[in-house]
Amino acid sequence: MIGDKIQHADWKSEKHVPVIDCPDQVEPETFFEVRVSLGKEIAHPNTTEHHIRWISLYFHPEGEKFPYEIGRFEFNAHGESVEGPNTSTVYTHHTVTTSMKTGKPGKLHSLAYCNIHGLWEDTKEIALK
């Protein structure tokens, strides 16, 4: 099962865990910002050899069977070039900001993929005001 391969930890002590930053309570049917990043307390490398490839964000409304995919964000520049690894001056950073709205409380789920250390997840409850 793929779920058995998803790793969990406290983002304060593990650099691979995505961190979801958004309000704990939101107005129903009103857009709010969600930011997902890695390395909030401990920086994650961003080199050709070791980097975050993508972050996905899902929202699972309370009482519904399946979550909705809010977005998938890919990071494709990690210093590689025709000159070799870590020779480019172009790098992407593993932080994304998006907006969403909901009419129900629920749970945000974020998955991040490290090219060396695999899948990592974080979750955050969202309540309605």
Side-chain angles (χ1 to χ4, degrees), residues 7 16 38 44-54 75 78 80 94 112-120:
Q7 302 173 80
H16 293 94
L38 278 90
H44 187 282
N46 190 16
T47 64
T48 306
E49 301 84 10
H50 188 188
H51 56 267
I52 299 301
R53 289 219 179 126
W54 53 260
F75 310 103
H78 307 287
E80 64 272 20
H94 36 264
Y113 181 74
C114 173
N115 70 313
I116 293 178
H117 300 106
L119 290 167
W120 293 82

Side-chain angles (χ1 to χ4, degrees), residues 57-103:
L57 182 65
Y58 303 87
F59 182 70
H60 190 183
E62 192 174 280
E64 294 193 21
K65 186 172 182 178
F66 298 112
Y68 291 87
E69 183 177 43
I70 302 303
R72 180 179 166 98
F73 312 92
E74 294 188 14
F75 310 103
N76 298 315
H78 307 287
E80 64 272 20
S81 77
V82 297
E83 303 297 322
N86 303 307
T87 57
S88 172
T89 59
V90 180
Y91 291 80
T92 51
H93 186 65
H94 36 264
T95 298
V96 298
T97 302
T98 190
S99 296
M100 64 168 284
K101 66 179 180 176
T102 179

